[in-house]
Amino acid sequence: MNRRVRDIVDPASLGVALLAALGAVGGSLLLIGNSPGFVVPSAAALVRDTLPDLFVAVGIGTLRDLAQPLLSLGAGLLLLAVFAAAALAAERAVEGIARRALVTFVLVGAVTALLTGNTTSTLGAALGAAVVVAAANATLAAMDPTTDRADPPPGRRRLLQAGAATLATLVLGAARTRDPAEPTEPPDPAAASLLAAANDRGLSLPGAEPMVSEDFYTVDIATVDPKIDPSDWQLAVTGEVETERSFTLSELQDLGGERRFTTLRCVSDLLNGKKMDTALWDGVPVESVLSAVGAPESCCVTLHAADDYFVSFPREALDPGLLAWGMNGRPLPRSHGAPLRTLVPGHWGETNAKWLTEIEIRDEPEEGYWEQRGWEGTGEVHTIAKLHSTTVDDGTVRVGGHAYAGTRGIDAVEVSTDGGASWTEASLSETLPEPTPIGEEEPEPTGEAADAWRMWEHEYEADGKHEVVVRAIDGTGEAQPEQEREGYPSGATGWVRETVGG
Ligand SMILES: Nc1nc2c(c(=O)[nH]1)N[C@H]1C(S)=C(S)[C@@H](COP(=O)(O)O)O[C@H]1N2
Ligand SMILES: [Mo]
C-alpha cells in the first residue's frame, strides 16, 4: 500500500474511529434511552426534513411501513460515519491517549449537541466515544509498545476494565431501547362494561378485528415517540381567542369528561388495508375548552404537537371533537399521543394530532405537515367496506369485515359473489353506543356513536372459483364509488375485490 494512502486509512485508526462511533451512539442511548433526544432519531428527523418534500411523500407512499425503519437505518449509518470521522480526526490531529480522548469528546459532543439540543444525550455520546478511544488506544499500545500510542502503557487489568466498560455501555444502551411496557392495569370498570357491551354488538369474524380493535394501528412522523411527563405538560390555546390560556391535564379533566367510541383511518391506508381501527376514548369535548377561553367563530385551526407535527383544517371540523387522555379505560398510551390527543369526528387520521401542545385558532387557512408534502388528508373520510375475513367450509363461504363512513354512518353493505353482476345485502352488526359521561358508574350502552364503524358478514353456498366484491352505502344513501384510485394524495377509492375458492 502506498504510504500516503496507508496514512489516511491506517486500519488501526479506522478501527478505533468506528468503535468510537459505536460508543457515541451507545452512550447517548444509555443516558437518554430510546427517546426523541437519542441521537439516532434526531438525525433521522434532520434527514427527513432535509429531503425534498416530494421525495418524502413518494417514499412513504411506496415504501409504506418500511419507510421509517429505512430512514432510521440510513440516518444511523450516516451518523456513525460522522462520529467515526470526528474520532479519526482526533486520532490524526494529536498524540497520546488522553489528548485523543479529549478531542474526540469535544468533537462528538459538538455534533450531538447540534443534532439533539439535549445535554444528557450530548454527555452520553461524548463520554461513550471518549471512553472507547481511550480503551482502544490503550489496547493497541499494550499490544505493540513500540508505537507512540500510549503515554505510559497501562497494566493489563486496567485495560480489560476499560474494554469491559465500553462493552457494558453498548449492551446497557441497547437494553434501554426497549420501551417500558404500556400500562397494563385493568381498565376502569365503567369503561370495561362499555367495552364488553360494545363487543357483544359485534360479529365474530376470524381474521378481522372485533368491534373494538385489539391491535390499534399507529402512524406518525417521529421515528421515536415523544415521551412527555404530564406534570411538565400544558395545552396552550392561542390565536383568535378572547384570552390566550394554558391548561394543565387536571384543569382539562376538571372541565368534565366524556367517553366515546371513535374510529380512525389514515388517508394512506390501502383500499383493503389495516390502518383503520376503533377505540373507546376518554376526554374533554373541544367545545368545553374553547368556551373556557372564549373563541368566537373563525375559519380555521392549526394543531401543534410535541414532535413538531402540525395540521391545519376548518374550525367547524374541530368543534365537535374530543381531547382525549384515555383509551379503552386506561391512560392514553405513549404511542397514541400521551398525555393528550385530538379526535376529530369523521375526518382522516392526520387531523387527530397526538402529543397535542397547542390549539391555534386562526382567521386564515394554512398548510400542515402533510399538505406541504402534497397529501390532501384533512377532509372527511371516504366510505369503505373492508373484506378481512373469508372462511370456506365444504361449500359454505362466509365473508365479512368492517365498514366505515365517518359521521355519515353506514346504512348497508352490499356483496356480489359474481364479480359485480348481482348484489345482495350483507348482515350488519349493531352500531356502537353513543357517548357517556365519565364518572357514571353503570353507563347504559344506548344510542349510536356518531363516528364509528360497523361490522358486516355474508354467508352463501358456492363451489369453484368466483370473485367477491363489496361496497358500503353511507347514511346519506350514497354508495361507495367504484372508480379505483391509489392512496396518494387523497385516499384510496374503489371496491374491495377478492377471488375465493377454486
Ligand atoms: N403529533 C402527531 N400526531 C399525529 C401524527 C403525527 O405524525 N404526529 N400522525 C397523524 C396520522 S397521519 C394519523 S393516521 C393518526 C394515527 O393515529 P394513531 O397512531 O393513534 O393510530 O395520527 C395523526 N396524528
Ligand atoms: Mo394518517
Side-chain angles (χ1 to χ4, degrees):
M1 206 189 284
N2 157 322
R3 180 131 196 232
R4 180 174 267 183
V5 173
R6 188 148 83 218
D7 252 16
I8 296 171
V9 293
D10 160 30
S13 300
L14 199 64
V16 172
L18 285 174
L19 277 176
L22 286 173
V25 171
S28 165
L29 188 56
L30 176 64
L31 288 204
I32 197 109
N34 194 15
S35 68
F38 173 38
V39 67
V40 173
S42 300
L46 181 70
V47 171
R48 179 195 75 211
D49 294 339
T50 312
L51 290 173
D53 292 346
L54 186 67
F55 189 87
V56 174
V58 172
I60 291 200
T62 47
L63 298 170
R64 306 206 151 264
D65 295 346
L66 274 181
Q68 279 195 340
L70 281 177
L71 176 65
S72 293
L73 184 71
L77 290 176
L78 214 66
L79 196 62
L80 284 179
V82 171
F83 283 151
L88 203 57
E91 285 289 301
R92 301 180 52 78
V94 290
E95 300 289 334
I97 295 178
R99 286 205 203 105
R100 283 176 174 165
L102 184 68
V103 174
T104 306
F105 183 93
V106 171
L107 291 178
V108 168
V111 171
T112 312
L114 279 175
L115 270 176
T116 65
N118 181 302
T119 323
T120 313
S121 180
T122 299
L123 197 69
L127 269 178
V131 167
V132 172
V133 164
N137 271 288
T139 312
L140 286 171
M143 277 163 32
D144 179 9
T146 61
T147 62
D148 55 4
R149 290 191 170 268
D151 304 322
R156 215 161 253 282
R157 179 172 305 179
R158 267 184 55 207
L159 201 138
L160 275 174
Q161 281 169 349
T166 315
L167 205 71
T169 310
L170 285 170
V171 171
L172 274 174
R176 279 197 53 165
T177 60
R178 309 202 57 215
D179 266 351
E182 293 286 9
T184 50
E185 69 267 24
D188 171 282
S193 80
L194 278 176
L195 289 166
N199 276 324
D200 284 347
R201 293 181 173 212
L203 307 169
S204 165
L205 298 175
E209 286 279 10
M211 205 59 167
V212 179
S213 300
E214 279 162 358
D215 183 17
F216 204 109
Y217 82 94
T218 56
V219 172
D220 42 67
I221 60 169
T223 43
V224 174
D225 296 338
K227 203 181 208 163
I228 300 171
D229 179 351
S231 58
D232 288 347
W233 171 94
Q234 291 202 327
L235 173 69
V237 185
T238 62
E240 305 299 315
V241 291
E242 278 156 23
T243 34
E244 296 198 340
R245 200 192 135 176
S246 290
F247 296 83
T248 64
L249 193 56
S250 59
E251 283 171 338
L252 290 172
Q253 288 168 338
D254 287 345
L255 290 175
E258 180 179 300
R259 199 160 256 159
R260 51 166 96 149
F261 288 99
T262 296
T263 300
L264 291 188
R265 186 183 180 207
C266 185
V267 68
S268 77
D269 187 28
L270 296 175
L271 190 64
N272 200 32
K274 300 221 161 155
K275 288 181 180 156
M276 175 168 109
D277 279 298
T278 299
L280 175 63
W281 308 90
D282 292 353
V284 57
V286 168
E287 270 166 346
S288 308
V289 178
L290 292 188
S291 65
V293 295
E297 272 181 33
S298 63
C299 82
C300 318
V301 63
T302 299
L303 305 178
H304 300 266
D307 56 350
D308 291 335
Y309 178 80
F310 59 105
V311 58
S312 194
F313 52 91
R315 165 79 186 274
E316 62 188 11
L318 180 70
D319 282 359
L322 192 75
L323 303 177
W325 55 74
M327 183 178 186
N328 297 332
R330 297 195 171 100
L332 187 64
R334 181 176 156 203
S335 56
H336 293 291
L340 195 82
R341 80 166 308 160
T342 328
L343 292 165
V344 179
H347 287 64
W348 291 113
E350 66 166 76
T351 58
N352 297 258
K354 306 193 275 190
W355 311 291
L356 186 68
T357 53
E358 183 186 341
I359 298 177
E360 181 197 345
I361 305 292
R362 298 174 53 88
D363 54 17
E364 258 174 60
E366 66 174 340
E367 287 192 324
Y369 183 92
W370 286 118
E371 281 39 60
Q372 289 178 347
R373 287 155 180 81
W375 286 89
E376 296 161 8
T378 59
E380 286 188 40
V381 293
H382 300 327
T383 299
I384 180 77
K386 306 238 179 195
L387 202 181
H388 284 164
S389 180
T390 307
T391 49
V392 185
D393 185 6
D394 276 338
T396 306
V397 184
R398 189 168 163 240
V399 287
H402 295 85
Y404 177 55
T407 51
R408 297 183 300 279
I410 290 292
D411 249 13
V413 170
E414 296 175 342
V415 185
S416 169
T417 59
D418 53 14
S422 64
W423 295 86
T424 356
E425 234 179 74
S427 337
L428 280 184
S429 71
E430 288 176 63
T431 57
L432 281 162
E434 67 189 8
T436 54
I438 295 177
E440 203 162 278
E441 268 176 35
E442 282 170 33
E444 195 55 41
T446 53
E448 188 171 326
D451 175 29
W453 66 17
R454 291 175 82 166
M455 296 178 82
W456 66 271
E457 67 177 332
H458 180 60
E459 199 179 281
Y460 59 97
E461 305 294 317
D463 354 271
K465 208 166 163 170
H466 58 280
E467 193 186 21
V468 177
V469 194
V470 286
R471 65 181 182 203
I473 316 291
D474 75 13
T476 71
E478 189 94 23
Q480 177 180 334
E482 179 178 12
Q483 199 205 351
E484 286 178 23
R485 273 189 282 141
E486 60 169 43
Y488 183 77
S490 50
T493 63
W495 294 338
V496 172
R497 296 167 182 273
E498 190 190 318
T499 304
V500 176

